[in-house]
Amino acid sequence: KEANEWTPGRLVISIATSLTNDNQIELDFSPTIGHCKNKPRNPSDDNCHWLPAHLNQNTEMFRVKTIHPIFVNTCHRAGFKIHGDWVDDEDCILFRCTRSRYHNEDTNKNYAEGRTRDVKNTSKPPLSRDNKTERPIKEDGEETCKFKFRVYWDEKRKRWFLPHQQRGLLQHCGHSHFQSECLRMKTKFLPEEEHKLAEDCFDTKNSATTTANLLNYRNDIGLEWHQLHYLKTKKKNDMVIRDLDPGNSSSGAQISAADRALAILPQN
């Protein structure tokens, strides 16, 4: 039980020096969590840490692609995984440990059945996967983790911020503390510069295995071969889609080897 109750170390991100000074400095925001304080009524330099000014958007896509990875990567380096949900009535992203909710097999099954399958023959049933959930299982007597914090949006100033003191809980419970290289990260949370590096590796004919080894060496993020192989295939498919239909921005289309060959022929 003692091994499953622990407090993470430093949680470091880059922030602006102040609201009007965008020179970036490092902040360990772990001391801001767990003070039973509500969001400041008038956010200012006296009570808030401001994220850099270029992070001045608040759309669902921007949150998922830009804001979430900042904190997901920081917590990953600290030995645990988090997920974020937008809370509309608080104008904030609530980040919680991925083990904050119990696993529900029926809910997962209904969600999977409702998803659009990206396969050539949708009449075939999906392959059975013997994957163990990362979430706690209530029937097994496992405990949910209470770690959580909030990142707020200031609509007036168009800026994201962390209060000097906020609610939430810093302590983890119900699961062990891991080294970051032992935790698998979703590729969508890779930093933008690492995505670009992966694409450059693919363009220079490096294999998915070699690319994964390089990214893991640089970031200690535990990417696996199949994750990089997916990115490599997705990049090829996106190139074919642009060639065949420049107006189509979808990356979920099913592309065959013949489609790729047809896209390459005009170039030769």
Side-chain angles (χ1 to χ4, degrees), residues 5-174:
E5 293 182 354
W6 51 277
T7 301
R10 289 164 52 83
L11 301 175
V12 179
I13 61 170
S14 293
I15 62 167
T17 301
S18 68
L19 180 60
T20 56
N21 182 354
D22 206 42
N23 290 331
Q24 294 188 29
I25 58 175
E26 287 192 342
L27 168 73
D28 172 16
F29 69 89
S30 60
T32 70
I33 303 171
H35 296 280
C36 299
K37 297 284 187 178
N38 292 325
K39 171 185 175 181
R41 292 185 177 181
N42 183 27
S44 68
D45 291 338
D46 294 331
N47 53 32
C48 295
H49 302 293
W50 301 95
L51 268 61
H54 69 275
L55 304 174
N56 60 351
Q57 298 181 45
N58 183 19
T59 63
E60 182 179 1
M61 180 176 293
F62 189 82
R63 291 195 297 266
V64 171
K65 289 193 172 184
T66 306
I67 303 300
H68 284 208
I70 294 172
F71 296 93
V72 169
N73 279 278
T74 295
C75 292
H76 185 275
R77 289 192 295 269
F80 61 98
K81 296 163 68 173
I82 60 171
H83 66 91
D85 297 300
W86 174 250
V87 182
D88 194 54
D89 59 351
E90 295 185 40
D91 282 339
C92 74
I93 304 172
L94 173 60
F95 286 103
R96 292 178 287 191
C97 178
T98 53
R99 291 182 59 87
S100 65
R101 291 180 289 191
Y102 283 117
H103 171 71
N104 187 310
E105 188 63 35
D106 292 334
T107 300
N108 278 23
K109 184 178 179 180
N110 292 336
Y111 173 74
E113 290 176 349
R115 293 180 63 184
T116 301
R117 297 176 60 205
D118 184 18
V119 294
K120 293 181 180 179
N121 187 354
T122 56
S123 64
K124 288 185 177 181
L127 296 175
S128 176
R129 296 184 178 182
D130 188 21
N131 291 339
K132 187 180 186 302
T133 178
E134 293 183 350
R135 290 182 178 176
I137 299 174
K138 189 173 184 178
E139 292 74 13
D140 292 349
E142 297 180 345
E143 183 180 8
T144 55
C145 182
K146 309 303 187 294
F147 174 90
K148 61 183 176 182
F149 66 93
R150 292 167 173 81
V151 180
Y152 291 94
W153 170 252
D154 187 324
E155 180 62 29
K156 179 180 178 181
R157 299 171 179 83
K158 303 295 183 184
R159 294 286 292 271
W160 292 95
F161 68 90
L162 288 160
H164 287 179
Q165 293 185 334
Q166 64 163 293
R167 289 178 288 165
L169 190 66
L170 191 60
Q171 187 178 43
H172 288 261
C173 61

